[in-house]
Amino acid sequence: MASAAEQLASNLNFSAFAKAEDLKKRIWFTVGALLVYRLGTYIPLPGINPDAFAQAFSSQSKGVLGMFNMFAGGAVERMAIFALGIMPYISASIIMQLMTSVIPTLEALKKEGEQGRKVINQYTRYGTVLLALVQAYGIAVGLEGGNGIVSDPGMFFRISTVITLVGGTMFLMWLGEQITARGIGNGISLIIFAGIVAGLPQAISGTLELGRTGALSTGLILAIIVLAVVVIALIVFFERAQRRLLIQYPKRQVGNRMFQGDTSHLPLKLNTAGVIPPIFASSLLLLPATVAGFSQTTNMPAWASTVLAALGHGQPLYMAFYAAMIVFFAFFYTAIVFNPKDTADQLKKHSGFIPGYRPGERTADYIDYVLTRITVVGAIYLVLVCLLPEFLISATGVPFYLGGTSLLIVVSVTLDTVAQIQGHLIAHQYEGLIKKSKLRGGKKAR
């Protein structure tokens, strides 16, 4: 079966794509949904002075707001109806994942299969609404505190802002679910992907303009392009890397026939935590500078000013904390999303075992040992990818648009989407082969 799938995958071409009508409909639906999302990032909130807000945002563009603005496709910079983006849903999903490992009731729901997942997804939606309400109200109050940003501050502005921003987030959540069900790829990931990629043309034109004016040398721009290609290749390699543990199943007898025991593999991803560690680490590190910028206090203590300066982009203390927090969250989130004991119990339940290790606790210890070792490599990989743009910015002053986190998201989503497209093409070719075999069988019967 595996060799047949590999042969079909190698034979995929444009003619197979042209015949896959269902796949083309899915792709067009995805493109249309992402266009709707991009249009929403240009519709501003009512009652906002765009010029005054743009001036206030420029002073905070290097903090948490700048990172959220990149994920939201520029909606924060324009204070559009999608300014909250899809981040409240992602935060609620992460919180629910943490709670399922702590609260026994939620853990039992998770083990109930599809029905349990539906209940957890519903709780996640409720959590998204709650987080969006809190964040939207905070944005409304913050906008009223700005100098001339809100034309008519008051309770009506706050209510309208909260309804608009929360409605925008809920619409994006619904849109992402529709893309997942009727389109191609993971809808939530594609929305974030579209927001990040939307700023690429402006970043590329800005870099070329710096080269034209002589601010950047041609050799440096070429070196950046080569480095970007190398980093992307590195990300592709490590995101696909797996440690495959051999799983064996005993011989079984059905009637008078004895069947040979099967073998399979348990794949352990090198980077099980994904992009969560860099997002958490950068958010926490940028938070103090953002709060200090909003407070705009002139009588800040000397020690606070010193700490904020040391935690700035490109500073050694910032790099050290960033690397340490990425490593911590890589291990922490891996422990949340992958439980070796549950995996060992499932193997024991289906009579599977790892050669040389007794089913149960010994198998769980071995899986945990292997997972810890490969997570060390995965954490080092995340640190290198995320710190490389920081070193580049601090050493050369190049405005590197795609940081480590955004580059990881773009490459990972692209890989997943391409894999899904290939899966649809393989399924389409299998259906074609089955139809041909049925037609041949019918002709022979005649």
Side-chain angles (χ1 to χ4, degrees), residues 265-346:
H265 291 89
L266 174 64
L268 301 177
K269 285 192 65 177
L270 193 68
N271 179 27
T272 306
V275 298
I276 298 301
I279 291 178
F280 274 24
S282 56
S283 299
L284 291 177
L285 278 176
L286 293 172
L287 192 59
T290 305
V291 173
F294 272 123
S295 62
Q296 296 179 351
T297 55
T298 56
N299 56 346
M300 184 181 295
W303 65 267
S305 301
T306 305
V307 171
L308 286 175
L311 288 176
H313 271 294
Q315 299 300 319
L317 186 62
Y318 174 85
M319 302 283 194
F321 270 108
Y322 194 26
M325 293 175 73
I326 287 175
V327 173
F328 169 76
F329 283 119
F331 280 92
F332 178 75
Y333 196 70
T334 299
I336 293 297
V337 299
F338 190 93
N339 191 332
K341 188 177 183 304
D342 289 346
T343 304
D345 290 342
Q346 288 295 322

Side-chain angles (χ1 to χ4, degrees), residues 289-446:
T290 305
V291 173
F294 272 123
S295 62
Q296 296 179 351
T297 55
T298 56
N299 56 346
M300 184 181 295
W303 65 267
S305 301
T306 305
V307 171
L308 286 175
L311 288 176
H313 271 294
Q315 299 300 319
L317 186 62
Y318 174 85
M319 302 283 194
F321 270 108
Y322 194 26
M325 293 175 73
I326 287 175
V327 173
F328 169 76
F329 283 119
F331 280 92
F332 178 75
Y333 196 70
T334 299
I336 293 297
V337 299
F338 190 93
N339 191 332
K341 188 177 183 304
D342 289 346
T343 304
D345 290 342
Q346 288 295 322
L347 288 176
K348 186 177 180 180
K349 182 179 178 181
H350 293 88
S351 303
F353 64 93
I354 298 177
Y357 297 91
R358 184 174 297 175
E361 187 176 350
R362 291 289 304 276
T363 299
D365 292 340
Y366 176 69
I367 294 175
D368 183 61
Y369 169 74
V370 174
L371 187 65
T372 302
R373 294 184 67 181
I374 65 175
T375 303
V376 171
V377 180
I380 294 173
Y381 143 72
L382 286 176
V383 169
L384 291 176
V385 170
C386 293
L387 286 187
L388 186 60
E390 299 292 337
F391 283 121
L392 186 65
I393 293 171
S394 60
T396 63
V398 177
F400 200 68
Y401 174 75
L402 278 182
T405 307
S406 53
L407 198 59
L408 279 169
I409 293 174
V410 169
V411 176
S412 301
V413 174
T414 302
L415 289 175
D416 292 342
T417 306
V418 170
Q420 286 206 25
I421 291 175
Q422 289 182 342
H424 278 283
L425 288 176
I426 291 174
H428 177 73
Q429 288 198 349
Y430 265 126
E431 290 175 1
L433 290 175
I434 291 172
K435 289 180 180 179
K436 288 182 180 179
S437 63
K438 286 183 178 180
L439 289 174
R440 290 172 182 171
K443 289 180 180 179
K444 289 181 180 179
R446 292 176 184 176

Side-chain angles (χ1 to χ4, degrees), residues 32-51:
L34 293 179
L35 284 176
V36 171
Y37 159 65
R38 289 302 303 155
L39 287 174
T41 61
Y42 286 91
I43 303 175
L45 283 175
I48 297 292
N49 185 344
D51 296 331

Side-chain angles (χ1 to χ4, degrees), residues 89-99 276 280 333 336:
Y89 178 78
I90 295 174
S91 302
S93 300
I94 294 171
I95 292 172
M96 285 301 301
Q97 284 182 339
L98 296 175
M99 291 176 67
I276 298 301
F280 274 24
Y333 196 70
I336 293 297

Side-chain angles (χ1 to χ4, degrees), residues 47-332:
I48 297 292
N49 185 344
D51 296 331
F53 178 78
Q55 186 177 0
F57 178 83
S58 61
S59 62
Q60 301 295 329
S61 59
K62 294 184 179 179
V64 176
L65 290 182
M67 185 183 70
F68 287 164
N69 181 60
M70 180 181 63
F71 289 156
V76 178
E77 182 180 7
R78 295 181 284 271
M79 195 42 65
I81 60 175
F82 291 160
L84 283 182
I86 203 67
M87 296 306 290
Y89 178 78
I90 295 174
S91 302
S93 300
I94 294 171
I95 292 172
M96 285 301 301
Q97 284 182 339
L98 296 175
M99 291 176 67
T100 50
S101 61
V102 176
I103 301 176
T105 306
L106 292 176
E107 188 176 3
L109 274 175
K110 184 180 178 181
K111 294 179 179 179
E112 287 183 5
E114 185 64 27
Q115 189 63 32
R117 282 194 294 269
K118 287 181 179 179
V119 176
I120 292 176
N121 288 338
Q122 195 63 28
Y123 289 159
T124 304
R125 295 187 184 100
Y126 295 150
T128 302
V129 174
L130 183 61
L131 288 176
L133 282 171
V134 174
Q135 293 178 15
Y137 186 78
I139 288 175
V141 174
L143 290 174
E144 286 185 338
N147 187 16
I149 296 178
V150 180
S151 57
D152 188 17
M155 186 55 65
F156 179 77
F157 170 78
R158 295 184 185 183
I159 294 174
S160 64
T161 299
V162 168
I163 292 175
T164 303
L165 291 178
V166 173
T169 296
M170 298 310 295
F171 176 78
L172 287 182
M173 183 180 68
W174 174 83
L175 192 66
E177 292 176 351
Q178 293 301 309
I179 293 175
T180 303
R182 302 171 58 188
I184 195 78
N186 183 284
I188 304 298
S189 300
L190 282 172
I191 287 175
I192 300 176
F193 170 86
I196 295 173
V197 173
L200 268 179
Q202 184 179 358
I204 293 173
S205 63
T207 304
L208 294 178
E209 181 64 21
L210 290 175
R212 188 185 67 82
T213 57
L216 293 177
S217 64
T218 305
L220 182 59
I221 294 177
L222 292 176
I224 293 171
I225 295 174
V226 173
L227 182 63
V229 173
V230 171
V231 171
I232 291 173
L234 184 72
I235 293 174
V236 171
F237 174 78
F238 277 95
E239 290 298 320
R240 287 181 173 270
Q242 294 178 347
R243 172 73 163 87
R244 305 178 71 188
L245 302 182
L246 179 65
I247 305 296
Q248 287 189 348
Y249 296 91
K251 295 180 180 179
R252 54 193 175 90
Q253 185 173 358
V254 179
N256 296 325
R257 299 185 61 184
M258 179 68 70
F259 290 89
Q260 186 68 26
D262 295 330
T263 60
S264 63
H265 291 89
L266 174 64
L268 301 177
K269 285 192 65 177
L270 193 68
N271 179 27
T272 306
V275 298
I276 298 301
I279 291 178
F280 274 24
S282 56
S283 299
L284 291 177
L285 278 176
L286 293 172
L287 192 59
T290 305
V291 173
F294 272 123
S295 62
Q296 296 179 351
T297 55
T298 56
N299 56 346
M300 184 181 295
W303 65 267
S305 301
T306 305
V307 171
L308 286 175
L311 288 176
H313 271 294
Q315 299 300 319
L317 186 62
Y318 174 85
M319 302 283 194
F321 270 108
Y322 194 26
M325 293 175 73
I326 287 175
V327 173
F328 169 76
F329 283 119
F331 280 92
F332 178 75

